[in-house]
PDB file of all heavy atoms in Angstrom:
ATOM      1  N   GLY A 140      -4.393 235.769 -81.302  1.00 98.00           N
ATOM      2  CA  GLY A 140      -4.076 237.108 -80.771  1.00 98.00           C
ATOM      3  C   GLY A 140      -5.145 238.098 -81.134  1.00 98.00           C
ATOM      4  O   GLY A 140      -5.815 237.993 -82.150  1.00 98.00           O
ATOM      5  N   ILE A 141      -5.282 239.162 -80.295  1.00 98.00           N
ATOM      6  CA  ILE A 141      -6.165 240.263 -80.599  1.00 98.00           C
ATOM      7  C   ILE A 141      -5.286 241.379 -81.135  1.00 98.00           C
ATOM      8  O   ILE A 141      -4.416 241.831 -80.436  1.00 98.00           O
ATOM      9  CB  ILE A 141      -6.981 240.770 -79.395  1.00 98.00           C
ATOM     10  CG1 ILE A 141      -7.585 239.591 -78.601  1.00 98.00           C
ATOM     11  CG2 ILE A 141      -8.015 241.780 -79.789  1.00 98.00           C
ATOM     12  CD1 ILE A 141      -8.681 238.876 -79.295  1.00 98.00           C
ATOM     13  N   ARG A 142      -5.533 241.839 -82.346  1.00 98.00           N
ATOM     14  CA  ARG A 142      -4.773 242.931 -82.931  1.00 98.00           C
ATOM     15  C   ARG A 142      -5.563 244.221 -82.836  1.00 98.00           C
ATOM     16  O   ARG A 142      -6.780 244.181 -82.721  1.00 98.00           O
ATOM     17  CB  ARG A 142      -4.403 242.603 -84.360  1.00 98.00           C
ATOM     18  CG  ARG A 142      -3.619 241.276 -84.483  1.00 98.00           C
ATOM     19  CD  ARG A 142      -3.245 240.930 -85.877  1.00 98.00           C
ATOM     20  NE  ARG A 142      -4.447 240.801 -86.747  1.00 98.00           N
ATOM     21  CZ  ARG A 142      -4.331 240.719 -88.062  1.00 98.00           C
ATOM     22  NH1 ARG A 142      -3.182 240.733 -88.675  1.00 98.00           N
ATOM     23  NH2 ARG A 142      -5.444 240.589 -88.799  1.00 98.00           N
ATOM     24  N   ILE A 143      -4.818 245.325 -82.965  1.00 98.00           N
ATOM     25  CA  ILE A 143      -5.500 246.563 -82.878  1.00 98.00           C
ATOM     26  C   ILE A 143      -6.594 246.675 -83.974  1.00 98.00           C
ATOM     27  O   ILE A 143      -7.679 247.124 -83.735  1.00 98.00           O
ATOM     28  CB  ILE A 143      -4.492 247.768 -82.997  1.00 98.00           C
ATOM     29  CG1 ILE A 143      -3.699 247.796 -81.702  1.00 98.00           C
ATOM     30  CG2 ILE A 143      -5.174 249.107 -83.271  1.00 98.00           C
ATOM     31  CD1 ILE A 143      -2.664 248.901 -81.620  1.00 98.00           C
ATOM     32  N   GLY A 144      -6.270 246.123 -85.120  1.00 98.00           N
ATOM     33  CA  GLY A 144      -7.233 246.193 -86.238  1.00 98.00           C
ATOM     34  C   GLY A 144      -8.464 245.306 -86.061  1.00 98.00           C
ATOM     35  O   GLY A 144      -9.402 245.343 -86.825  1.00 98.00           O
ATOM     36  N   ASP A 145      -8.475 244.508 -84.979  1.00 98.00           N
ATOM     37  CA  ASP A 145      -9.604 243.585 -84.723  1.00 98.00           C
ATOM     38  C   ASP A 145     -10.672 244.291 -83.887  1.00 98.00           C
ATOM     39  O   ASP A 145     -11.784 243.760 -83.708  1.00 98.00           O
ATOM     40  CB  ASP A 145      -9.174 242.345 -83.955  1.00 98.00           C
ATOM     41  CG  ASP A 145      -8.233 241.483 -84.746  1.00 98.00           C
ATOM     42  OD1 ASP A 145      -8.345 241.406 -85.964  1.00 98.00           O
ATOM     43  OD2 ASP A 145      -7.336 240.844 -84.122  1.00 98.00           O
ATOM     44  N   ILE A 146     -10.329 245.409 -83.308  1.00 98.00           N
ATOM     45  CA  ILE A 146     -11.250 245.940 -82.259  1.00 98.00           C
ATOM     46  C   ILE A 146     -12.153 247.100 -82.695  1.00 98.00           C
ATOM     47  O   ILE A 146     -12.925 247.600 -81.921  1.00 98.00           O
ATOM     48  CB  ILE A 146     -10.425 246.438 -80.990  1.00 98.00           C
ATOM     49  CG1 ILE A 146      -9.524 247.646 -81.281  1.00 98.00           C
ATOM     50  CG2 ILE A 146      -9.586 245.259 -80.458  1.00 98.00           C
ATOM     51  CD1 ILE A 146      -8.785 248.135 -80.048  1.00 98.00           C
ATOM     52  N   PHE A 147     -12.093 247.484 -83.954  1.00 98.00           N
ATOM     53  CA  PHE A 147     -12.924 248.594 -84.389  1.00 98.00           C
ATOM     54  C   PHE A 147     -14.324 248.221 -84.891  1.00 98.00           C
ATOM     55  O   PHE A 147     -15.220 249.027 -84.985  1.00 98.00           O
ATOM     56  CB  PHE A 147     -12.205 249.382 -85.525  1.00 98.00           C
ATOM     57  CG  PHE A 147     -10.896 249.972 -85.036  1.00 98.00           C
ATOM     58  CD1 PHE A 147      -9.735 249.592 -85.571  1.00 98.00           C
ATOM     59  CD2 PHE A 147     -10.888 250.918 -84.022  1.00 98.00           C
ATOM     60  CE1 PHE A 147      -8.480 250.109 -85.122  1.00 98.00           C
ATOM     61  CE2 PHE A 147      -9.685 251.438 -83.536  1.00 98.00           C
ATOM     62  CZ  PHE A 147      -8.465 251.058 -84.123  1.00 98.00           C
ATOM     63  N   ASN A 148     -14.487 246.928 -85.187  1.00 98.00           N
ATOM     64  CA  ASN A 148     -15.769 246.440 -85.650  1.00 98.00           C
ATOM     65  C   ASN A 148     -16.340 245.472 -84.627  1.00 98.00           C
ATOM     66  O   ASN A 148     -15.802 244.369 -84.496  1.00 98.00           O
ATOM     67  CB  ASN A 148     -15.608 245.793 -87.050  1.00 98.00           C
ATOM     68  CG  ASN A 148     -16.936 245.292 -87.610  1.00 98.00           C
ATOM     69  OD1 ASN A 148     -17.673 244.613 -86.932  1.00 98.00           O
ATOM     70  ND2 ASN A 148     -17.203 245.687 -88.828  1.00 98.00           N
ATOM     71  N   GLU A 149     -17.344 245.899 -83.928  1.00 96.00           N
ATOM     72  CA  GLU A 149     -17.866 245.116 -82.812  1.00 96.00           C
ATOM     73  C   GLU A 149     -18.344 243.726 -83.207  1.00 96.00           C
ATOM     74  O   GLU A 149     -18.094 242.757 -82.520  1.00 96.00           O
ATOM     75  CB  GLU A 149     -18.932 245.854 -82.058  1.00 96.00           C
ATOM     76  CG  GLU A 149     -18.354 247.047 -81.326  1.00 96.00           C
ATOM     77  CD  GLU A 149     -19.134 247.426 -80.054  1.00 96.00           C
ATOM     78  OE1 GLU A 149     -19.945 246.639 -79.588  1.00 96.00           O
ATOM     79  OE2 GLU A 149     -18.917 248.548 -79.577  1.00 96.00           O
ATOM     80  N   ASP A 150     -19.047 243.673 -84.337  1.00 97.00           N
ATOM     81  CA  ASP A 150     -19.597 242.340 -84.770  1.00 97.00           C
ATOM     82  C   ASP A 150     -18.455 241.397 -85.025  1.00 97.00           C
ATOM     83  O   ASP A 150     -18.461 240.222 -84.618  1.00 97.00           O
ATOM     84  CB  ASP A 150     -20.407 242.497 -86.068  1.00 97.00           C
ATOM     85  CG  ASP A 150     -21.718 243.235 -85.791  1.00 97.00           C
ATOM     86  OD1 ASP A 150     -22.136 243.299 -84.586  1.00 97.00           O
ATOM     87  OD2 ASP A 150     -22.292 243.795 -86.733  1.00 97.00           O
ATOM     88  N   TYR A 151     -17.425 241.929 -85.708  1.00 98.00           N
ATOM     89  CA  TYR A 151     -16.279 241.066 -86.036  1.00 98.00           C
ATOM     90  C   TYR A 151     -15.616 240.588 -84.709  1.00 98.00           C
ATOM     91  O   TYR A 151     -15.336 239.443 -84.495  1.00 98.00           O
ATOM     92  CB  TYR A 151     -15.270 241.851 -86.883  1.00 98.00           C
ATOM     93  CG  TYR A 151     -14.000 241.068 -87.150  1.00 98.00           C
ATOM     94  CD1 TYR A 151     -13.966 240.062 -88.134  1.00 98.00           C
ATOM     95  CD2 TYR A 151     -12.856 241.239 -86.333  1.00 98.00           C
ATOM     96  CE1 TYR A 151     -12.839 239.257 -88.305  1.00 98.00           C
ATOM     97  CE2 TYR A 151     -11.761 240.435 -86.535  1.00 98.00           C
ATOM     98  CZ  TYR A 151     -11.738 239.488 -87.513  1.00 98.00           C
ATOM     99  OH  TYR A 151     -10.614 238.693 -87.701  1.00 98.00           O
ATOM    100  N   LEU A 152     -15.365 241.555 -83.842  1.00 98.00           N
ATOM    101  CA  LEU A 152     -14.620 241.241 -82.606  1.00 98.00           C
ATOM    102  C   LEU A 152     -15.413 240.226 -81.729  1.00 98.00           C
ATOM    103  O   LEU A 152     -14.822 239.279 -81.240  1.00 98.00           O
ATOM    104  CB  LEU A 152     -14.409 242.542 -81.794  1.00 98.00           C
ATOM    105  CG  LEU A 152     -13.635 242.352 -80.494  1.00 98.00           C
ATOM    106  CD1 LEU A 152     -12.211 241.821 -80.774  1.00 98.00           C
ATOM    107  CD2 LEU A 152     -13.561 243.653 -79.698  1.00 98.00           C
TER     108      LEU A 152
END
Side-chain angles (χ1 to χ4, degrees):
I141 313 290
R142 301 181 302 169
I143 288 181
D145 296 328
I146 66 176
F147 298 116
N148 182 308
E149 289 209 15
D150 291 339
Y151 176 81
L152 181 64

